Amino acid sequence: MSKLDFMTMPRAQLRQYILDHREDDQAFQTYLDRFTCEDAVIFPAPQSIDDLENFPELHQQNLERLRKQA
């Protein structure tokens, strides 16, 4: 079997490969390296019901940020 080139494989195909071959650590690490953005915004998980009040605003901000990147 020939060695797969994970660096050129489209994201969806690599994801499916990882799901089908969960023991392939190299493929999983390549996926993480390729598709983990250094400037990603990470929002903390809500700790209470009150924290969810800001969700619509945060969601809208994230959608606008994604539109600008496209």
Side-chain angles (χ1 to χ4, degrees), residues 10-65:
R11 182 179 192 157
Q13 183 182 359
L14 182 54
R15 181 179 182 278
Q16 188 59 52
Y17 177 85
I18 291 169
L19 292 173
D20 294 340
H21 301 90
R22 294 176 188 264
E23 74 287 346
D24 192 335
D25 293 332
Q26 181 184 3
F28 182 68
Q29 188 59 52
T30 301
Y31 183 86
L32 291 177
D33 291 344
R34 285 184 59 196
F35 301 111
T36 301
C37 182
E38 290 183 15
D39 63 346
V41 178
I42 298 174
F43 297 99
Q47 301 298 312
S48 70
I49 297 295
D50 294 333
D51 289 347
L52 293 175
E53 290 178 2
N54 294 327
F55 180 78
E57 179 183 332
L58 294 173
H59 181 64
Q60 187 62 37
Q61 288 174 358
N62 190 44
L63 290 175
E64 290 172 9
R65 183 180 60 83

